[in-house]
Amino acid sequence: MSLFGASTGFGTGGTGVFGSTATDSHNPMKDVEVTSPPDDSISCLAFSPPSLPGNFLIGGSWANDVRCWEVQDNGQTVPKAQQMHTGPVLDACWSDDGSKVFTASCDKTAKMWDLNSNQAMQIAQHDGPIKAIHWIKAPSYSCVMTGSWDKTLKFWDTRSPNPMMSLQMPERCYCADVVYPMAVVATAERGLIVYQLENQPSEFRRIDSPLKHQHRCVAIFKDKQNKPTGFALGSIEGRVAIHYINPPNPAKDNFTFKCHRSNGTNTTTPQDIYAVNAISFHPVHGTLATVGSDGRFSFWDKDARTKLKTSEQLDQPITACCFNHNGNIFAYASSYDWSKGHEYYNPQKKNYIFLRNAAEELKPRNKK
C-alpha cells in the first residue's frame, strides 16, 4: 500500500502518531512483544515454575542458543542471559526449584544451565539429536529424561556421564511430555508409548495412534484430583486427539478434532491443512491452547468439546507456546517452521515471541 493509500488509518485509532500505516500482520492480536528475540526459528518456550518468585521465560532456537527473559508484571521483558549449544536447540525445561534450565540440542548433547552462576555443563549424550527434555521430580529420585532420534529414552542424574537408565524405543522420539508419575512419548511411524515413573521409569503401555498422520506434539492433562489422566496429541494434518489412559468408556471418551485448517469446518470446499506445532494446557482451568503452521493460536475446552477462541492470522507460523505457572500469561512464538520448504524461507523476516493475558479467555464457558 502507498503511504497515502486506503490503509493509512487516519482517525481509525492506530498505534502510531498518525495511526498505523499498514495492517500489522506480524502481531495482529496486538500482544506484548518480547525484547531481543532469537535470530532464527524458535523451537521451544518454557516459563519458570511456581517456586521461583516472578516470571522468567526461556526460549530455544535454531540459532543454537537458549535465552532467558524476566517478564515483569507490567508486561515489560528484560533479557537476562543466554547460553549456546553447537547445534540448534530443540527443547528446554526447568528444574522444579527454578534454579536450573535443561537444554536439548541437535549437537547430540543436553546441558544443565545453572542460572545463579550462569554456567552451563553437559549432562547427557546421545547418538543422534535430542528432541525432547524433561525434568522428573519423584519422591525417591530426581532426574532428566531425554528423548532422541537415536531411538532411545535416557534418564540422567546430572552428576554422572552415564545414564541411570536407557530404554529402547521402536522409532525416533518426535515429542514427549512428563507429569509425574506419567510420561508419554510420541515417535516416528506414529508410535505412542506411555511410561510410569514411580520407583523407577518403565514402559507402561504402547498405544495404537488415534491419528493417521505424523505426530508433532503431545501434552499430558490432569483430572480434578490433579493427577495425570490422559494426553492431547497433535499431528501434521491439522488434528488433535484427546486420549484418556483408562477411560470408563473409551469409544465415547476418546475423540479427535480438526484445527488449524483454512476454512474452519466447511468440508464442501478443499481446505489448506496445517501442522499443529504445539499444545499447552492451562494450569488452572484445564483448557488448552494449540498453535499451528497456519499462523494462528486457538483455545479449546476439551470437556465441553468447544472452541473458546481463535486468533487472527499471523504472517508466519506459530512454532511454540506455553502458559506461566498461574495461567495468567500465554506466550507464543512466531517464526518459520519450514512446513512449506526452503522456497518460503525469508532470512529477512524476524522472529517474535508474544505475551498475551490469558486469565479470562481460557475460562470454560458456563454450563447452560
Side-chain angles (χ1 to χ4, degrees):
M1 296 300 282
S2 75
L3 186 56
F4 301 107
S7 65
T8 50
F10 279 102
T12 57
T15 47
V17 184
F18 298 111
S20 56
T21 49
T23 51
D24 186 6
S25 60
H26 87 278
N27 184 13
M29 301 304 287
K30 300 183 173 50
D31 288 328
V32 174
E33 281 184 32
V34 171
T35 53
S36 306
D39 296 321
D40 203 342
S41 297
I42 298 154
S43 57
C44 55
L45 295 170
F47 268 110
S48 50
S51 49
L52 213 55
N55 288 291
F56 294 86
L57 177 68
I58 51 168
S61 88
W62 283 75
N64 302 359
D65 63 341
V66 58
R67 301 184 181 201
C68 179
W69 298 265
E70 182 179 3
V71 180
Q72 298 172 338
D73 291 341
N74 61 3
Q76 295 289 306
T77 50
V78 183
K80 291 306 242 186
Q82 76 170 45
Q83 286 288 344
M84 300 297 295
H85 273 265
T86 55
V89 175
L90 298 184
D91 199 12
C93 68
W94 291 80
S95 63
D96 63 292
D97 64 0
S99 68
K100 295 176 181 67
V101 163
F102 302 98
T103 54
S105 170
C106 287
D107 65 16
K108 307 178 187 175
T109 73
K111 289 185 178 182
M112 178 170 69
W113 177 13
D114 185 313
L115 294 172
N116 298 318
S117 65
N118 198 24
Q119 299 294 308
M121 57 177 278
Q122 180 180 333
I123 56 148
Q125 177 77 47
H126 278 267
D127 296 328
I130 304 177
K131 182 62 172 66
I133 190 162
H134 290 85
W135 173 251
I136 297 173
K137 176 73 173 162
S140 57
Y141 70 94
S142 302
C143 71
V144 173
M145 180 184 94
T146 53
S148 167
W149 293 345
D150 69 7
K151 306 184 185 180
T152 63
L153 193 63
K154 294 184 179 180
F155 301 83
W156 312 82
D157 78 352
T158 73
R159 295 181 295 271
S160 162
N162 298 314
M164 298 158 49
M165 178 179 279
S166 179
L167 298 174
Q168 199 64 35
M169 295 183 294
E171 255 296 351
R172 290 152 291 166
C173 170
Y174 275 175
C175 50
D177 196 18
V178 168
V179 174
Y180 184 84
M182 172 175 154
V184 60
V185 178
T187 71
E189 302 298 333
R190 297 171 43 249
L192 205 48
I193 311 169
V194 177
Y195 297 87
Q196 73 79 33
L197 304 174
E198 284 180 83
N199 301 322
Q200 65 169 11
S202 64
E203 192 174 310
F204 174 72
R205 184 185 297 165
R206 296 194 181 192
I207 296 173
D208 291 334
S209 178
L211 300 173
K212 295 186 174 68
H213 294 266
Q214 181 180 306
H215 296 159
R216 186 98 177 99
C217 51
V218 68
I220 293 173
F221 58 82
K222 301 193 262 199
D223 60 18
K224 297 283 186 283
Q225 285 74 47
N226 217 29
K227 297 218 170 10
T229 188
F231 56 85
L233 177 70
S235 78
I236 59 166
E237 188 244 348
R239 200 183 291 267
V240 169
I242 301 293
H243 191 94
Y244 290 84
I245 301 300
N246 291 314
N249 186 340
K252 200 153 106 307
D253 299 341
N254 296 334
F255 65 98
T256 68
F257 62 89
K258 296 175 188 168
C259 49
H260 302 288
R261 297 175 177 222
S262 60
N263 55 0
T265 51
N266 182 355
T267 50
T268 53
T269 55
Q271 56 182 186
D272 296 325
I273 296 176
Y274 298 88
V276 184
N277 285 330
I279 301 172
S280 191
F281 279 91
H282 192 279
V284 178
H285 302 309
T287 49
L288 64 148
T290 60
V291 301
S293 296
D294 58 343
R296 296 181 195 269
F297 62 79
S298 293
F299 300 151
W300 312 84
D301 179 341
K302 72 170 172 51
D303 300 324
R305 302 194 185 187
T306 53
K307 178 155 66 175
L308 301 172
K309 184 186 185 69
T310 293
S311 73
E312 300 296 317
Q313 188 167 26
L314 279 68
D315 61 1
Q316 51 186 349
I318 304 179
T319 50
C321 71
C322 67
F323 291 101
N324 77 324
H325 67 88
N326 63 11
N328 287 343
I329 309 171
F330 176 63
Y332 61 102
S334 159
S335 52
Y336 188 48
D337 58 4
W338 296 80
S339 57
K340 291 185 170 184
H342 68 90
E343 57 268 46
Y344 283 84
Y345 171 61
N346 175 0
Q348 263 62 59
K349 257 195 139 15
K350 285 174 63 182
N351 309 284
Y352 296 93
I353 301 170
F354 298 110
L355 304 177
R356 182 172 186 83
N357 183 331
E360 289 302 316
E361 291 176 337
L362 281 114
K363 281 186 178 162
R365 303 228 174 98
N366 294 334
K367 304 270 189 291
K368 289 283 187 289

